[in-house]
Amino acid sequence: SVCLKDISVLGPTFEDLALNVKKNISNISYIFIGRAGGYIGGSLIGGVLFDCMNPHLLLGFSMILTALGMYAIPFCKQAALLTAFMVSIGVSMGVLDTGETRLRKRDLFSICPFTIVSDFFITFLILFQSVEKVSPAPETAFNLKSSLKSMWAYIVIGSFLFLVSFLFFLLYSRCGTVKDQSHSGSGKQLVAKHHLALVFLLFLFFFAYVGAEVAYGSFIFTFAKDFSHMPEAQAAGLNSLFWGTFAATRGFAIFFATCMYPGTMILLCLLGSTLSSLLLCLFSNHKVALWVCTGVYGASMATTFPSGISWLEQYTTITGHTAAAFVVGAALGEMVLPALVGFLLGRFPNQPLLMYLSLLTSTFTAIIFPVMYKLASAPGSPGRKPRVERQIEADDTKGF
């Protein structure tokens, strides 16, 4: 959600960040590693904190810390200071994503509106940065100031996060005394027979899914421009189409979730992503197919993560530690798979490696989900929570 789009904004502004600290791009590439390391550390810290303090309060404070880090980035003139703020942002983002994963099902109507607004809001910023990149200013003495206009993106995002943090404090004031009701009707935690195996498989599931999502969103512009020979403006539009369909479908999914089981939504997402990635492999040079399949692929990826959390919660309890495991898996996928694509693109420029990765990860997730379902419904497991019971739990914990 918010944090994923923050990651996406870093790409279009990376050159200006290097210019701001008077370094070459290659000399500050370690800020990605620093932020990713902080993100994993924040995910692990969040897994502990969300089990011992109010989640809304912790989300509010984490969002303020992220906003302060965003405010500071444009004023960093030293690479070491920039890296330090990137690490701190990574930590707070890890805490935020762990908390969002923990609350996504239990507080559907309090989390999702913020998520959808942030998806559309920051997707617009990515589009603005992309247009600015393909419409450069003329060579003048004021190019330095002009090129650093992108730094305003961090100010705007920080302001948005700062405002949203007050909404979480409002939620805390309304339902701060409500305890986490992650128990079955008997007062005992619902634990699947193969709980650890399910958590590990979903860890791998999110590793592949998030890695493919970030890789596609990061490299589709380069792929369209260099491999499919699209004009830069069209390539930027293709990038925005992916994130736009992603955000729009996630918004509609709020309504679909009220009448459709999470497992059904996952199956539809897997079908759409596998079919669209297969067509992207077969027709990677066909511009119409690239536009259509990119839109379908973005829409198919939109609800996989929240549906996966909701699906597992039907069979077993998701604690802060469990949510942290999922976020760490997603973070590792976000680190490894895009880096692998970037490494291989330089060595095999004439191959549609991005589309191969999309097909491979879609096939992997399509295979692993039936295995998870088989383990979740194995004899001796508690079984799936009835829809009515899950709705009552959600209503009891909303606090409205």
Side-chain angles (χ1 to χ4, degrees):
S1 59
V2 178
C3 297
L4 178 60
K5 297 304 179 293
D6 291 343
I7 291 168
S8 302
V9 166
L10 180 57
T13 62
F14 188 48
E15 293 181 4
D16 292 343
L17 287 175
L19 185 62
N20 208 24
V21 297
K22 299 179 175 60
K23 295 283 186 179
N24 295 325
I25 291 177
S26 58
N27 292 337
I28 65 164
S29 58
Y30 49 78
I31 68 174
F32 288 94
I33 300 174
R35 188 198 57 195
Y39 184 87
I40 293 176
S43 302
L44 297 175
I45 293 171
V48 176
L49 293 180
F50 277 106
D51 280 339
C52 59
M53 66 179 295
N54 184 277
H56 294 119
L57 187 63
L58 185 55
L59 281 172
F61 280 122
S62 299
M63 202 161 280
I64 286 180
L65 291 177
T66 307
L68 293 176
M70 288 288 177
Y71 284 143
I73 285 178
F75 302 100
C76 290
K77 302 300 181 181
Q78 300 293 328
L81 187 60
L82 176 64
T83 303
F85 277 112
M86 283 294 179
V87 171
S88 67
I89 288 174
V91 171
S92 58
M93 283 167 53
V95 175
L96 281 172
D97 273 5
T98 300
E100 183 186 0
T101 301
R102 177 82 181 278
L103 296 179
R104 185 179 290 276
K105 178 65 175 70
R106 188 167 62 86
D107 280 331
L108 179 66
F109 296 100
S110 63
I111 293 293
C112 282
F114 304 154
T115 299
I116 305 309
V117 171
S118 68
D119 282 338
F120 279 110
F121 177 75
I122 305 180
T123 297
F124 173 77
L125 285 177
I126 295 171
L127 175 60
F128 177 77
Q129 295 300 329
S130 300
V131 171
E132 210 173 46
K133 290 296 179 185
V134 300
S135 303
E139 295 293 332
T140 68
F142 300 98
N143 267 0
L144 179 61
K145 291 183 178 179
S146 177
S147 65
L148 296 184
K149 286 192 300 182
S150 66
M151 294 295 98
W152 279 101
Y154 291 95
I155 301 296
V156 175
I157 293 172
S159 299
F160 176 78
L161 293 173
F162 191 76
L163 291 175
V164 172
S165 68
F166 286 99
L167 298 179
F168 281 104
F169 290 132
L170 177 63
L171 286 173
Y172 170 70
S173 66
R174 296 289 299 274
C175 56
T177 59
V178 178
K179 300 212 180 265
D180 186 9
Q181 300 180 7
S182 57
H183 299 78
S184 62
S186 61
K188 297 180 180 179
Q189 286 190 334
L190 182 70
V191 180
K193 180 180 179 180
H194 302 286
H195 175 83
L196 292 180
L198 285 170
V199 171
F200 176 70
L201 289 176
L202 204 57
F203 172 94
L204 297 178
F205 185 92
F206 288 147
F207 174 91
Y209 156 72
V210 174
E213 176 190 317
V214 175
Y216 198 91
S218 301
F219 287 101
I220 184 58
F221 173 83
T222 303
F223 177 88
K225 182 170 63 73
D226 297 340
F227 185 86
S228 299
H229 307 294
M230 276 188 175
E232 289 192 351
Q234 292 186 22
L238 193 66
N239 189 12
S240 298
L241 173 67
F242 173 76
W243 291 116
T245 54
F246 182 96
T249 305
R250 181 165 287 186
F252 286 117
I254 297 177
F255 306 101
F256 296 151
T258 61
C259 59
M260 188 181 298
Y261 279 112
T264 305
M265 296 182 68
I266 292 176
L267 288 176
L268 292 176
C269 290
L270 294 177
L271 178 63
S273 61
T274 303
L275 180 60
S276 58
S277 59
L278 175 61
L279 293 176
L280 284 167
C281 287
L282 296 176
F283 304 103
S284 54
N285 271 321
H286 196 285
K287 290 183 173 56
V288 174
L290 194 58
W291 280 96
V292 174
C293 293
T294 293
V296 174
Y297 188 68
S300 301
M301 300 291 276
T303 62
T304 305
F305 193 95
S307 296
I309 300 298
S310 299
W311 175 82
L312 184 63
E313 197 172 43
Q314 295 177 111
Y315 299 95
T316 192
T317 299
I318 297 180
T319 63
H321 294 79
T322 307
F326 300 151
V327 175
V328 169
L332 290 175
E334 170 200 316
M335 290 170 57
V336 173
L337 296 188
L340 180 63
V341 172
F343 175 79
L344 294 176
L345 278 178
R347 285 154 179 78
F348 305 97
N350 297 321
Q351 296 294 326
L353 296 175
L354 181 62
M355 306 313 175
Y356 292 158
L357 175 70
S358 300
L359 179 60
L360 180 63
T361 53
S362 296
T363 303
F364 174 76
T365 52
I367 292 173
I368 201 174
F369 181 69
V371 177
M372 291 191 296
Y373 178 79
K374 192 71 175 178
L375 289 176
S377 57
S381 295
R384 181 174 65 185
K385 287 184 183 179
R387 182 187 294 273
V388 174
E389 179 183 340
R390 290 184 286 116
Q391 183 61 47
I392 291 175
E393 289 182 358
D395 292 341
D396 288 342
T397 55
K398 280 190 295 183
F400 291 99

